[in-house]
Amino acid sequence: MLKQSVIELPKVGEKRAQQLAELGIETVEDLLMYYPFRYDDIKERQLTEILDQEKVTIKGMVVSPPVVNRFGYKKSRLQFRMMQDHDVFNVSFFNQPYLKDKVIVSEELAVYGKWDAKHQSLTGMKILANGQAGDFAPIYHVNKSVRQSTLIDLIKVAFGEHSDEIEENLPLSLVNKYRLLDRKQAMFAMHFPKDKEEYHQAKRRVVFEEFFLFQMQIQGLKQTEKAEQNGLAIAYDNDRLKKFIDALPFELTTAQKKVTNEICRDMRRPSHMQRLLQGDVGSGKTIVAAIALYATMTAGFQGALMVPTEILAQQHVESLNELFDPLEVQVALLTGSTKAKERQQILSELENGEIDIVVGTHALIQEGVEFSNLGLVITDEQHRFGVNQRKILREKGWKPDVLFMTATPIPRTLAITAYGEMDVSIIDEMPAGRIPVKTRWVKPPQLTQVLTWAKKELEKGHQMYVICPLIEESEMLDVQNAVEIYNQLTDFFAPDFQVGILHGKMKNAEKEVIMETFKENELQILVSTTVIEVGVNVPNATLMLIIDADRFGLAQLHQLRGRVGRGSQASYCILIANPKNDMGKERMKIMTETNNGFVVSEKDLELRGPGEVFGFRQSGLPEFAAADIVVDATILEVARKEAQQIWQLKNWQILPEYAPLVAYLHLGEEGNRFFD
């Protein structure tokens, strides 16, 4: 019955049901689990103990009739006076003229609002009903059609009619082990806690429940993927692979060796590999990918590497051709810019197996791209592709092994949540000889000094990136910015140094020409929007200036910084910014204090939250009703371990203890709450 529509509740007609649906409330269970995002302390206070600008509830007698003054378009102010003991004070409500009927002279009233000590006045937020229970008032996300009071009334009705249908969905062993409230008590206390302690216990129970149920499903996916009949056994030629690695012009780091072994071990197994490879900018993920692709080829399978930009695809092909013997390994490039005739030939050679490895952009997932025997799919900077895009590429073969790579280190809590069904490999070590990039933060008035210093660095034969500010989400404005800065720098550095410009409105052929010219040092300064962010490799570029750096997130600043420091020379990243708020200042400070991408990503998550860092739309992150993966990270970890242990039990689904859990999750069925 909890799954029935809210329209079955008293006082809910079709119009009200539609308004609730806009809040994501469609069933009775949705309504009961639509938890407040905060609680106001509505305990009554005495005037003598209230601090200036404090939000409080004051109870007193109304001593003047209420007056409504109207001004502007649909604006109004309701005013009256109240007395507590012998102290009289003013009360004002803005744009709530309908409250006038609740204000009756000589009667007691309790008003919640913000206290102004200087003017001895209260700016009211709400009038509390007589006998309102508890010291806390729940505050919900609502819209113009559904008021707080309406929502609270409906939640009370839903509990009154359906509370007996709320059944326990956690194993009793876990409820007892962690001393959790039962489900019905916790759900009610989330809305109407008696005190802070009851709210704390209710929140603890609800957060654990959300994380645990999600992790049960994630671990189930992982078990399914690992079932032996669900994958390819890629029996690569170990001798050829070892010979290839020994012939590399450098020795792999300990971290690279470790992750290579993890990947190769997975590939040999008949179960399906789903592995996430994390590594900081410049840590050497590309060579690990090359080894995996080479191993795939020696087993008679094809490999595909999908990347987000054509510049990066071209660069990967060049790198792979340098590493592989062209007589032994056939590598092809397929992008949106590939000419029709060449594309047709590549498609034909992919289908008949003449091409061993194909590198490309979204073009790889278009219709007509067929493989002879696809064994390994690698997605680089995977967060730039939607879940469906990654899925389409996987389906180009019969359950090929999958390796996701990212140079944007993902905080552990995000990895557990968004990629919980995957195994994770981490390269946490930089190649020998890498000199850490020195990062400095300066204010805009110092730009001329910075450019004068940069000129001395350029005179040593080095090159410089200048990244333009991001303006909202308008690419056209970004381009205008880039052109303006390009003109300024051209004037400043003329005639000694050549300046180029790169932005998203250029055609791919134009971008390639500019990048090639910059690589050859025919341009010493490259002005760019953030198209430069991923994958560009010019070891001679040792300087990066980021204009209005506070407009970027920490992870993006770290990615941009990774474009320098790729050679053996000391490199610098100068952040030019005048942040207007504390968060902006904190971001600049963090960037100057660490080069560690994992530290940067954790800080970014703390400052901005998962929605901003990761982007909910394509990330696969669930939207929890009460849980927060940053604040509640410890509970997330506990829930994951408990879910893992249950899935390791043989035939746990038929054990009586887990019957309510199996029923609630609808295991094996479509349409559960997290994976719709």
Side-chain angles (χ1 to χ4, degrees), residues 172-180 204 642 645:
L172 288 177
S173 58
L174 291 183
V175 174
N176 294 330
K177 181 178 179 179
Y178 294 109
R179 297 177 183 174
L180 302 174
R204 187 169 156 268
E642 292 292 352
Q645 286 175 14

Side-chain angles (χ1 to χ4, degrees), residues 6 12 15-26 31 143 146 151 154:
V6 287
V12 179
K15 186 177 179 183
R16 178 65 76 202
Q18 171 95 28
Q19 293 165 347
L20 291 169
E22 289 171 11
L23 296 173
I25 300 170
E26 296 183 354
L31 181 61
N143 56 26
V146 183
L151 191 62
L154 287 174

Side-chain angles (χ1 to χ4, degrees), residues 595-615:
N595 277 332
N596 186 316
F598 289 95
V599 173
V600 168
S601 69
E602 290 286 355
K603 294 288 186 184
D604 206 18
L605 185 62
E606 287 171 21
L607 288 173
R608 297 196 298 154
E612 288 291 318
V613 172
F614 221 67

Side-chain angles (χ1 to χ4, degrees), residues 443-476:
K443 301 287 179 69
Q446 296 170 273
L447 178 58
T448 304
Q449 288 173 257
V450 170
L451 293 178
T452 304
W453 166 79
K455 189 179 279 190
K456 293 175 184 174
E457 289 295 310
L458 295 174
E459 284 166 357
K460 298 175 186 175
H462 299 161
Q463 291 167 271
M464 174 169 73
Y465 295 107
V466 179
I467 306 301
C468 296
L470 193 68
I471 298 189
E472 303 305 327
E473 294 191 2
S474 168
E475 195 171 19
M476 185 55 73

Side-chain angles (χ1 to χ4, degrees), residues 81-350:
R81 305 182 83 193
M82 287 176 61
M83 182 170 70
Q84 186 185 79
D85 296 332
H86 299 292
D87 295 314
V88 177
F89 57 95
N90 293 313
V91 181
S92 301
F93 279 91
F94 288 91
N95 306 319
Q96 298 182 67
Y98 49 84
L99 293 177
K100 182 181 178 182
D101 295 340
K102 293 187 177 183
V103 182
I104 301 168
V105 176
S106 298
E107 288 197 1
E108 275 202 332
L109 197 66
V111 179
Y112 177 78
K114 184 185 279 190
W115 178 249
D116 183 332
K118 182 179 177 183
H119 297 99
Q120 288 288 292
S121 65
L122 185 72
T123 301
M125 295 176 184
K126 58 185 163 188
I127 292 174
L128 303 181
N130 282 334
Q132 184 159 347
D135 293 335
F136 299 97
I139 306 297
Y140 300 84
H141 288 296
V142 291
N143 56 26
K144 289 180 181 177
S145 309
V146 183
R147 287 184 185 163
Q148 295 282 339
S149 56
T150 304
L151 191 62
I152 290 168
D153 287 345
L154 287 174
I155 290 168
K156 286 178 179 175
V157 168
F159 270 114
E161 300 220 342
H162 295 278
S163 63
D164 289 345
E165 297 157 27
I166 300 172
E167 296 178 345
E168 185 57 74
N169 55 10
L170 296 181
L172 288 177
S173 58
L174 291 183
V175 174
N176 294 330
K177 181 178 179 179
Y178 294 109
R179 297 177 183 174
L180 302 174
L181 296 182
D182 69 60
R183 187 166 185 243
K184 186 197 296 187
Q185 185 184 356
M187 286 173 73
F188 187 82
M190 281 295 288
H191 297 283
F192 312 113
K194 292 198 291 279
D195 50 38
K196 281 184 179 177
E197 179 57 27
E198 187 180 51
Y199 164 67
H200 173 73
Q201 293 301 332
K203 179 86 183 284
R204 187 169 156 268
R205 152 71 202 224
V206 168
V207 169
F208 180 84
E209 177 186 315
E210 286 199 286
F211 282 152
F212 174 74
L213 295 176
F214 175 70
Q215 284 298 322
M216 282 300 295
Q217 293 162 92
I218 283 285
Q219 297 303 321
L221 283 175
K222 201 166 184 176
Q223 293 287 328
T224 305
E225 289 291 350
K226 285 189 174 296
E228 290 208 351
Q229 67 273 22
N230 276 351
L232 298 173
I234 299 177
Y236 56 84
D237 187 323
N238 200 48
D239 291 336
R240 284 174 72 186
L241 185 61
K242 191 171 184 303
K243 189 177 175 184
F244 170 69
I245 294 171
D246 289 343
L248 292 173
F250 48 81
E251 186 177 352
L252 298 179
T253 63
T254 303
Q256 284 174 317
K257 289 174 183 173
K258 177 174 173 286
V259 301
T260 299
N261 286 334
E262 289 169 348
I263 292 163
C264 287
R265 219 172 13 246
D266 277 0
M267 287 167 64
R268 271 196 178 275
R269 290 176 180 144
S271 53
H272 184 219
M273 175 171 81
Q274 282 239 104
R275 189 168 282 278
L276 175 67
L277 174 60
Q278 292 193 67
D280 216 336
V281 177
S283 62
K285 295 179 302 301
T286 304
I287 192 61
V288 173
I291 292 168
L293 289 166
Y294 186 84
T296 304
M297 183 276 303
T298 68
F301 289 96
Q302 293 167 298
L305 172 56
M306 186 163 74
V307 300
T309 67
E310 295 201 8
I311 291 174
L312 188 52
Q314 178 72 48
Q315 193 168 287
H316 274 311
V317 168
E318 289 170 10
S319 300
L320 292 175
N321 280 330
E322 284 177 22
L323 291 168
F324 299 145
D325 179 346
L327 298 175
E328 188 183 20
V329 186
Q330 294 299 309
V331 181
L333 172 67
L334 185 63
T335 70
S337 298
T338 305
K339 300 283 191 293
K341 187 176 178 184
E342 186 185 354
R343 183 177 188 274
Q344 208 49 52
Q345 185 178 345
I346 290 171
L347 294 184
S348 172
E349 291 177 356
L350 270 178

